[in-house]
Amino acid sequence: MNLGYARTTVEFRVDRSGRVYDVKVQRANDAQALIIASMMSSLEVPPPPRSAGAGCCWLSLNVSFH
């Protein structure tokens, strides 16, 4: 599968249990977006600190395809 060369940014939010929701993918073709969606659905992150408001901010992740 040739995904081409690209660098894309993924922005997402994490709920109180550490589950990722509300994902935005920047500058990706369909195959790249599918791989990123799969990756984000299995991503396990710690829940945000209590001091952060619910759904308060976006986190980002840079992804490079080679």
Side-chain angles (χ1 to χ4, degrees):
M1 178 186 295
N2 182 2
L3 299 174
Y5 295 97
R7 182 178 178 119
T8 184
T9 301
V10 181
E11 296 177 339
F12 59 97
R13 290 184 180 192
V14 179
D15 68 12
R16 287 282 170 211
S17 66
R19 288 180 293 181
V20 174
Y21 73 98
D22 208 5
V23 176
K24 294 180 185 178
V25 179
Q26 314 258 335
R27 299 178 310 271
N29 65 34
D30 289 342
Q32 293 166 345
L34 181 62
I35 289 171
I36 291 169
S38 174
M39 178 183 73
M40 295 306 293
S41 68
S42 62
L43 186 65
E44 293 182 23
V45 295
R50 293 244 181 246
S51 60
C56 70
C57 55
W58 288 90
L59 304 171
S60 66
L61 174 69
N62 292 320
V63 179
S64 296
F65 292 92
H66 299 280

